[in-house]
């Protein structure tokens, strides 16, 4: 009995430790710390100044934040400059008038190469952006202060880049990479972001040939990183400023904290909800890596990619990516040696393991929680317990008939090791190393070896599962399936220890596990609620057609109860409401009184034939208060285009809509010059929509105040004026 309790407690402690180490950031350092140390309390002062109010491009608060950062850089004795230019994104259909802030920190023994540390200082219209990316901006200011406080300068130069227009489409990073003369001097880049308001700052993305770059993470010490994150991220349709800096072809590391995603891009991304530990983790890594890189070799050595992960006490484990396959082959040889004496159990073990994993994955497919529950660790635990119950029942039934099931379990893990090593080697360590330790334990039949295998397996995988589900993907869809599959695989690999825990329990404890899952889920129902800290996202849109008598009040997407009550209807709007942004779907709401907003205009400049195509040149103007202007061209295919004399490069776009469209942020008072090339003899219908923050007063319509659990998100509430012109 004592052994059973001890084994159960041991497994729970290992799981808790693995989750804790990937979920909890370090403690913040007080403002009384020495000047050369990064202090989150000192950096928080900058966050409070930056995040007073929303500050998207094209607003007075945007310029307020710009001036504050410039003043702080001047106070540090640096000579900041502002790169003002029209920037065109290459990942999305976006353009804007950006104002990048740059500062050069000279080194003592420079060879013309520098370390680039990048953050962005703009935010979305809905929120004050304390975390995304006020935290990054504040961390960079505090890092520069700490570096300037040191008696000896760094060996190499450091470029501090506060980009503009990241939220508008990575615009500032695109402008720096393509136009700024300092870009050619960058030897390695560090970028700091946020996708939530708390949690550890993960190193989740690298540039190509990352083995040398990730080796520098050892200088930071307290790091959470894994090549599995880099491998997965490279397949996702996600971008940060690093996506534009990638054209420089330099080594790069990207950091972000992502817990508290419910508050991401909402009004709750404020100072009150920013985790000081997350800010501290940002800064610890930023300061340590900047110092290590600037005092190291520049340019960095060219290397291949690496397999890498962090372990407690040991730190970063890094080896060349080509080693992944030989390790898997070594596991193959060792597996043959271990399972050969029990080969009759191989096929039943493989079948039982795969069946259990498949059933658990299919059941998890139907789990799709929403709201606060989707990002809850409580519901993550409930799902994991339910999956364990399913696996326990299948294991019990199979074990009675085929006692040597474990040989098949090892073969399944071997297959996963071989497949990942050959197909996505950056993820191979998740399967190869637990398998190798499990093989040693199976060969020796030593309880200590079994617990070492459990330690390695749970340390690598339990925290990873929590991060993927509760932090990154949520308890639903791919997140739930990933949790179910990995939980099943871990349970079967650790079955020698689980056998001690369950002993002769009926159905291997499946009933008890199912009961525990239900209890935890009930606890979730009682304590996990939509509230001010876990809010519902909303955004209302008032839109009117400048050339028609109608106007519309509504929202895009699935509507919550407050939005339905605010817009007062669920009718799809007229077709022109599909052309206000990039959604290509109409507003859902009701007709509203027209208040006659000032409208955007497109003025014909010239029409020429160039390279066999008709080239239409227009001047586009936005009314006062506009932060973003969307443009659509219909009726003819757009062969090429340019804006303010800069060619639009579509080769790196994430997606290609059927018709030409572009978002222009912070349109200058003088307007923008747009040139479109279309086939000769054809015409275009040119749609314009000017977006302004806030809703007008609508006669006869009272919009109820938002309750605490309902907050503006992304664009927030906006007024849009629409117009169509034909050329």
């Amino acid at each position: 009995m004592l052994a059973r309790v001890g084994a159960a407690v041991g497994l729970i402690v290992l799981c808790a430790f693995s989750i804790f180490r990937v979920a909890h950031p370090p403690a913040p350092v007080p403002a009384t710390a020495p000047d050369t140390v990064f202090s989150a309390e000192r950096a928080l002062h900058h966050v409070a100044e930056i995040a007073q109010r929303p500050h998207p491009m094209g607003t007075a608060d945007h310029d307020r934040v710009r001036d504050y950062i410039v003043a702080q850089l001047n106070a540090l004795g640096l000579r900041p400059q502002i790169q003002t230019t029209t920037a065109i994104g290459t990942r999305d259909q976006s353009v804007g008038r950006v104002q990048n802030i740059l500062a050069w920190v000279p080194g003592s023994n420079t060879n013309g190469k520098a370390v680039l540390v990048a953050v962005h200082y703009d935010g979305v219209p809905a929120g004050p952006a304390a975390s995304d990316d006020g935290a990054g901006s504040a961390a960079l200011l505090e890092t520069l202060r700490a570096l300037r406080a040191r008696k000896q300068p760094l060996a190499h130069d450091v470029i501090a880049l506060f980009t503009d227009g990241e939220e508008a489409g990575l615009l500032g990073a695109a402008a720096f990479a393509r136009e700024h003369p300092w870009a050619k001097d960058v030897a390695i880049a560090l970028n700091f972001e946020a996708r939530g308001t708390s949690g550890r700052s993960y190193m989740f993305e690298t540039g190509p040939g990352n083995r040398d770059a990730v080796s520098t993470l050892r200088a930071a010490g307290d790091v959470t990183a894994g090549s599995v994150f880099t491998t997965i991220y490279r397949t996702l349709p996600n971008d940060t400023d690093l996506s534009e800096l990638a054209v420089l072809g330099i080594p790069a590391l990207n950091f972000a904290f992502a817990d508290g995603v419910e508050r991401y891009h909402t009004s709750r991304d404020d100072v009150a909800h920013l985790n000081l530990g997350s800010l501290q983790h940002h800064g610890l890594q930023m300061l340590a890596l900047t110092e290590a890189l600037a005092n190291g070799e520049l340019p960095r050595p060219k290397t291949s990619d690496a397999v890498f992960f962090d372990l407690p006490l040991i730190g970063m484990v890094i080896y060349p990516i080509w080693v992944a396959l030989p390790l898997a082959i070594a596991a193959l040889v060792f597996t043959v040696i271990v399972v050969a004496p029990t080969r009759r159990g191989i096929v039943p073990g493989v079948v039982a393991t795969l069946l259990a994993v498949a059933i658990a994955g299919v059941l998890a497919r139907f789990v799709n929680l929403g709201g606060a529950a989707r990002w809850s660790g409580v519901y993550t635990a409930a799902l994991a317990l339910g999956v364990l119950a399913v696996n326990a029942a299948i294991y019990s039934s199979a074990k009675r008939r085929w006692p040597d099931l474990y040989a098949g379990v090892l073969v399944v893990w071997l297959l996963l090791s071989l497949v990942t090593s050959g197909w996505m080697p950056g993820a191979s360590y998740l399967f190869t190393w637990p398998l190798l330790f499990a093989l040693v334990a199976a060969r020796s039949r030593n309880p200590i070896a079994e617990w070492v295998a459990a330690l390695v397996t749970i340390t690598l995988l339990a925290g990873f599962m929590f991060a993927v589900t509760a932090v990154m993907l949520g308890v639903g869809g791919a997140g739930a399936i990933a949790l179910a599959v990995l939980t099943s695989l871990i349970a079967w690999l650790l079955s020698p220890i689980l056998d001690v825990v369950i002993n002769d329990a009926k159905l291997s404890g499946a009933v008890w596990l199912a009961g525990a899952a239900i209890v935890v889920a009930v606890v979730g129902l009682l304590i996990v609620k939509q509230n001010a800290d876990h809010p519902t996202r909303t955004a209302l849109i008032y839109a009117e057609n400048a050339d028609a008598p109608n106007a519309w009040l509504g929202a895009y997407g699935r509507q919550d109860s407050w939005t339905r009550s605010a817009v007062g209807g669920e009718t799809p709007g007229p077709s022109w409401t599909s052309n206000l942004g990039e959604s290509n779907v109409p507003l859902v709401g009701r007709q509203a009184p027209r208040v006659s907003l000032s409208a955007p205009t497109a003025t014909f400049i010239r029409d020429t034939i160039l390279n066999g195509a008709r080239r239409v040149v227009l001047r586009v103007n936005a009314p006062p208060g506009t932060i973003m202007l969307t443009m659509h061209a219909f009726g003819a295919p757009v062969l090429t285009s340019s804006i303010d004399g800069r060619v639009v490069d579509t080769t790196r776009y994430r997606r290609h809509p059927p018709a030409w469209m572009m978002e222009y942020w912070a349109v200058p008072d003088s307007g923008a010059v747009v040139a479109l090339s279309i086939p000769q003899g054809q015409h275009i219908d040119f749609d314009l929509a000017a977006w302004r923050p806030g809703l007008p007063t609508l006669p006869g319509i009272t919009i109820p105040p938002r309750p605490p659990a309902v907050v503006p998100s992304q664009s927030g509430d906006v007024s849009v004026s629409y117009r169509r012109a034909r050329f």
Side-chain angles (χ1 to χ4, degrees):
M1 180 64 180
L2 188 60
R4 293 172 62 184
V5 173
V9 171
L11 291 173
I12 293 171
V13 168
L14 285 179
C15 288
F17 171 73
S18 179
I19 293 170
F20 182 87
R21 64 182 290 270
V22 302
H24 290 269
V29 172
T32 54
D35 285 347
T36 56
V37 173
F38 185 96
S39 164
E41 284 192 3
R42 283 193 289 251
L44 185 63
H45 171 76
H46 299 306
V47 180
E49 292 294 327
I50 291 169
Q52 292 180 23
R53 292 174 295 278
H55 47 276
M57 294 179 70
T59 63
D61 269 293
H62 169 276
D63 293 348
R64 173 187 61 80
V65 174
R66 177 203 62 200
D67 294 344
Y68 175 80
I69 293 173
V70 168
Q72 294 302 307
L73 294 173
N74 278 318
L76 291 173
L78 301 171
R79 291 185 293 176
Q81 61 172 258
I82 297 177
Q83 179 194 12
T84 302
T85 186
T86 298
I88 300 180
T90 67
R91 305 301 275 168
D92 294 294
Q93 290 82 355
S94 60
V95 60
R97 194 69 178 167
V98 298
Q99 301 177 74
N100 288 337
I101 305 169
L102 299 102
W104 186 287
V105 183
S108 61
N109 188 27
T110 182
N111 63 350
K113 290 299 180 182
V115 178
L116 175 70
V117 186
V119 298
H120 71 86
Y121 74 93
D122 65 305
V124 297
S131 296
D132 180 27
D133 194 23
S137 298
L140 183 48
L141 288 173
E142 170 67 2
T143 293
L144 292 171
R145 185 211 55 76
L147 291 174
R148 300 289 279 178
R150 303 189 178 196
K151 295 180 180 179
Q152 295 295 327
L154 301 172
H156 291 284
D157 302 337
V158 173
I159 299 172
L161 172 61
F162 299 81
T163 69
D164 190 12
E166 191 275 347
E167 301 294 3
L170 321 178
L171 299 178
F176 173 80
R178 285 158 184 77
E179 298 184 13
H180 201 281
W182 291 359
K184 69 180 188 311
D185 300 316
V186 176
I188 187 168
L190 307 174
N191 188 61
F192 289 81
E193 263 284 3
R195 186 179 166 264
T197 62
S198 63
R200 290 179 67 81
S201 180
Y202 291 81
M203 199 293 291
F204 67 96
E205 183 189 11
T206 72
N210 59 32
R211 182 159 59 91
D212 172 74
V214 297
S215 69
T216 64
L217 291 172
R218 293 188 174 116
D222 187 15
V223 173
T224 298
S227 51
V228 62
F229 296 118
T230 299
T231 300
I232 294 172
Y233 191 81
R234 287 176 178 176
T235 68
L236 297 176
N238 295 42
D239 287 300
T240 67
D241 275 341
L242 204 61
S243 301
E244 292 287 3
L245 298 175
V247 301
L248 299 176
I250 55 174
L253 300 173
N254 208 357
F255 299 81
F257 50 87
D259 208 352
V261 70
E262 311 103 301
R263 297 177 287 277
Y264 172 66
H265 282 186
T266 76
S267 60
R268 292 292 189 271
D269 183 7
D270 54 17
V271 176
H273 289 96
L274 170 62
N275 187 321
L276 264 185
S278 303
L279 178 57
Q280 183 69 41
H281 201 208
H282 249 7
L284 285 175
Q285 296 177 101
M286 185 185 293
L287 178 58
L289 289 171
T290 302
E291 183 178 20
L293 290 167
N295 284 330
E297 180 183 358
L298 292 183
R300 302 296 303 181
K302 291 187 178 297
T303 63
S304 62
D305 276 348
V307 177
F308 59 92
F309 52 94
D310 64 286
L311 287 175
L313 302 179
I314 296 174
M316 292 298 300
V317 177
I318 306 168
Y319 51 89
I321 203 161
W322 63 263
V323 174
L325 191 56
L327 278 174
I329 293 173
L332 168 63
V333 174
F334 201 4
T335 301
V336 171
I337 295 172
V338 171
V339 305
T342 56
R343 55 185 178 273
R344 285 183 296 180
I346 294 176
V347 173
V350 168
V351 172
T353 304
L354 293 179
L355 179 65
V357 170
I359 291 175
V362 169
L363 292 176
R365 174 66 182 82
F366 296 99
V367 176
N368 194 18
L369 302 180
R374 186 176 184 86
W375 308 103
S376 166
V378 176
Y379 283 105
T380 301
L383 178 58
L385 287 167
V387 168
L388 286 174
V390 171
N391 280 270
I394 296 173
Y395 176 79
S396 175
S397 301
K399 182 78 170 178
R400 285 198 302 269
R401 188 167 182 179
W402 298 289
D404 295 328
L405 282 176
Y406 198 61
V409 176
L410 296 174
V411 169
V412 169
W413 274 78
L414 172 64
L415 293 174
L416 291 169
S417 173
L418 290 169
V419 169
T420 54
S421 296
W423 178 46
M424 45 190 309
S428 62
Y429 71 92
L430 295 175
F431 304 103
T432 300
W433 288 107
L435 172 62
L436 288 171
F437 279 88
L439 288 168
V440 171
R443 180 70 171 174
S444 66
R445 300 179 182 273
N446 187 311
I448 295 177
E450 290 177 350
W451 276 101
V452 171
L455 173 64
V456 171
T457 302
I458 293 175
T459 299
L460 285 177
L461 287 169
F464 171 72
M465 290 190 309
F466 176 85
V468 167
T469 305
V471 177
M472 299 177 186
L473 298 178
V475 188
I481 294 171
L483 179 68
V485 169
L486 288 174
T487 299
S488 302
L489 289 169
I490 293 172
W492 286 81
L493 190 66
L494 301 185
S495 57
I497 292 178
L498 291 173
D499 277 337
V500 175
V501 176
I502 59 180
N503 199 1
D504 57 352
K506 187 176 181 181
L507 290 178
S508 297
V511 175
W512 290 101
L513 287 166
I518 293 171
V519 169
V520 173
V522 170
V523 171
L525 287 172
L526 295 175
I527 68 172
V528 179
K529 305 287 186 182
Q530 295 295 121
N531 54 37
D533 293 328
H534 305 279
T536 297
R537 298 164 172 266
T538 59
L540 304 183
I541 299 176
Y542 166 80
E544 67 177 34
N545 190 335
D547 302 316
N550 58 345
W552 206 261
L553 176 65
Y556 288 122
R558 185 178 179 182
Q559 295 188 2
D560 61 285
S561 58
W562 179 85
T563 299
R564 288 194 297 272
S565 68
V567 301
E570 298 183 64
T571 303
S575 59
W576 59 266
T577 64
S578 302
N579 303 329
L580 303 179
E582 60 179 341
S583 64
N584 295 320
V585 295
L587 284 175
V588 175
R590 64 164 172 168
Q591 194 164 335
R594 182 183 172 84
V595 297
S596 298
L597 299 173
S598 53
T601 61
T603 306
F604 175 80
I605 297 178
R606 61 182 172 271
D607 189 342
T608 58
I609 302 299
L610 184 65
N611 297 325
R614 181 187 175 203
R615 187 169 183 264
V616 181
V617 182
L618 313 171
R619 181 174 297 279
V620 175
N621 290 89
T626 298
I627 60 172
M628 189 263 285
L629 184 73
T630 61
M631 301 176 283
H632 289 81
F634 301 102
V638 174
L639 307 176
T640 61
S641 61
S642 66
I643 300 176
D644 293 344
R646 290 164 173 80
V647 175
V648 175
D649 178 9
T650 65
T651 57
R652 299 181 71 239
Y653 275 0
R654 283 289 192 183
R655 57 191 181 279
H656 294 267
W660 185 91
M661 72 85 57
M662 189 69 66
E663 295 179 349
Y664 198 127
W665 289 79
V667 181
D669 293 341
S670 58
V673 176
V674 179
L676 305 177
S677 293
I678 64 175
Q680 291 187 55
Q682 299 193 32
H683 72 272
I684 55 170
D685 290 325
F686 197 66
D687 285 18
L688 296 170
W691 292 58
R692 282 162 282 200
L695 298 174
T697 299
L698 300 175
I701 295 179
T702 300
I703 296 176
R706 284 179 169 87
V710 178
V711 299
S713 71
Q714 292 295 135
S715 64
D717 297 341
V718 292
S719 302
V720 184
S721 54
Y722 165 85
R723 165 166 282 158
R724 167 170 286 192
R726 172 164 291 190
F727 299 94

